[in-house]
Each structure stands twice: as C-alpha cells, then as structure tokens.
Amino acid sequence: MIDPSKIKAITFDLGNVLLPFSRYRAVFNLARVSGLSPLRIAVYFAVTGLWLEFDDGEFTTHEFYQRLTKDLKWEITEEEFYQAYADIFKENWKVINLLPKLKEKYRLFIMSDINPLHVDYLPKRYNFFSNFERFITSCDIKVRKPAARAFQMMLQITGVSPDEVFFIDDRKCNVEGAKRQGIHAIHFTSERKFLSDFAKLGFLNGLIYDK
C-alpha cells in the first residue's frame, strides 16, 4: 500500500492524462492548409514513422518541416505547419485543476514522449505548466518510455528515490516499466476513475476538488 506521506514527487504523463490528443487531428489540420488529402498524409506518416523520430529528438522543428515539405511537395509556410501540427490537444480540466493544490504538498513533474514543436508550443498555450518543476521530454533525454533508462533519467532529474515518486500514465506498458524500476505507478484510464483511485490512495485527503 502506498503511503502518500512518503511520496516527495508526482510525475504526470502529458498526453491523454493532462491533455487528450489525436495525431490524426494534425493530419486533418495539415490536409486543410496544404490541400493534400488526409489519406496521403496519414499514409506518409505511417510508412515513414517520422513523427516518432520527431518525438525522439531526431529533428528540430525546422528540420522536420523541411523534410515533410521536400517529401510531400506542399506549399505551406513554416508558421502554417507549426500551427497545424500543434493544435491537436484538449484538456482534462478535473485533473489540471488539482495541480495547484497538489503543488502545495508535492514536487510536480511531467514526463512525456513528445517532439520539440509541442515542447515549445504547450507551455505557451497552457498556464498550468507553471505548476511543474520540470518538463522531462523524450526529445531531450533521447529515450522513450517504457525503457528503463527513461525512468532512470527521470529519477536522476528529480533527485528522489524510486519509492518517493508516484507516476501516472495512460499506457499500461509505461506503468509496468515504471514499476520495474521500483516506482509507484497508476494506470490512467479516465478522469473519473483516476480521481476515485487517487482519492482512495489518500492523495486527495483534505483537498476540495471537482469529482
């Protein structure tokens, strides 16, 4: 059983925990500004796997734009590309609204498999990033979850021991990867289920929150 009083840091995954997203929204956005068909763009990404390489930090945003422009032969500006690729998120407000209260008791971190464009865009778009001490990204540390090295890097950055961290992720393989490193972790499946489980574990004791 987890003792919340022993936890010093809570690390949140970003996508589908704090911000639900769809890569296919980027596909449709890019199709709209470029005039290409969504199918052509979707097949291109599926075949090349370039958006995963972008998350791995293999390209800067400018290099990624140049590569796609060369391959797809579209005529869109880099700014049009940036806005189309960036706008793929919604908000889990019930989770986001907990952050200022949790920050009073715990150090907060984000750990996300994410590309440089979104790393630049999201903290400007969403004020809740100010609650976090550090935004740990795959494109910076050059490794993706659930690799053991990703969690080892997280522990190194946070400066706490595995049993002092609580990790939240929507992918079960990432939760299992964290647990293999001795990190307390929970699988996020929905806002309602998360809030219920989080409360049962004792993290919300004394807090007023939107159920």
Side-chain angles (χ1 to χ4, degrees), residues 157 171 188:
I157 290 166
R171 299 186 65 199
F188 184 101

Side-chain angles (χ1 to χ4, degrees), residues 14 110-112 114 118-119 122-123 129 133-137:
L14 181 65
I110 294 175
M111 184 180 184
S112 179
I114 196 170
H118 289 141
V119 171
L122 290 171
F129 276 80
E133 191 171 320
R134 179 78 180 268
F135 186 7
I136 304 167
T137 69

Side-chain angles (χ1 to χ4, degrees), residues 141-180:
I141 65 174
K142 307 297 184 185
V143 62
R144 299 165 60 87
K145 300 170 290 184
R149 190 163 67 88
F151 293 107
Q152 291 161 6
M153 289 289 290
M154 184 261 282
L155 293 172
Q156 181 180 328
I157 290 166
T158 59
V160 296
S161 63
D163 62 351
E164 294 172 327
V165 182
F166 189 79
F167 176 68
I168 303 148
D169 201 290
D170 70 301
R171 299 186 65 199
K172 195 169 183 179
C173 62
N174 293 340
V175 171
E176 292 170 349
K179 288 180 176 179
R180 285 195 292 271

Side-chain angles (χ1 to χ4, degrees), residues 26-41:
V27 167
F28 285 102
N29 289 344
L30 290 168
R32 174 176 47 80
V33 298
S34 69
L36 301 180
S37 73
L39 179 60
R40 180 179 176 189
I41 295 172

Side-chain angles (χ1 to χ4, degrees), residues 76-143:
I76 62 174
T77 67
E78 189 164 350
E79 179 61 22
E80 287 173 324
F81 166 75
Y82 181 100
Q83 294 300 329
Y85 202 85
D87 184 21
I88 65 171
F89 298 93
K90 299 187 296 183
E91 304 87 5
N92 275 340
W93 283 116
K94 289 183 180 181
V95 181
I96 290 169
N97 289 339
L98 283 177
L99 299 176
K101 298 164 187 174
L102 291 174
K103 186 182 178 183
E104 295 175 3
K105 299 174 67 176
Y106 306 99
R107 297 169 64 203
L108 302 184
F109 297 85
I110 294 175
M111 184 180 184
S112 179
D113 294 335
I114 196 170
N115 60 70
L117 188 155
H118 289 141
V119 171
D120 176 72
Y121 169 79
L122 290 171
K124 298 174 184 176
R125 173 67 179 80
Y126 296 104
N127 292 333
F128 72 78
F129 276 80
S130 64
N131 293 288
F132 292 96
E133 191 171 320
R134 179 78 180 268
F135 186 7
I136 304 167
T137 69
S138 59
C139 62
D140 181 36
I141 65 174
K142 307 297 184 185
V143 62

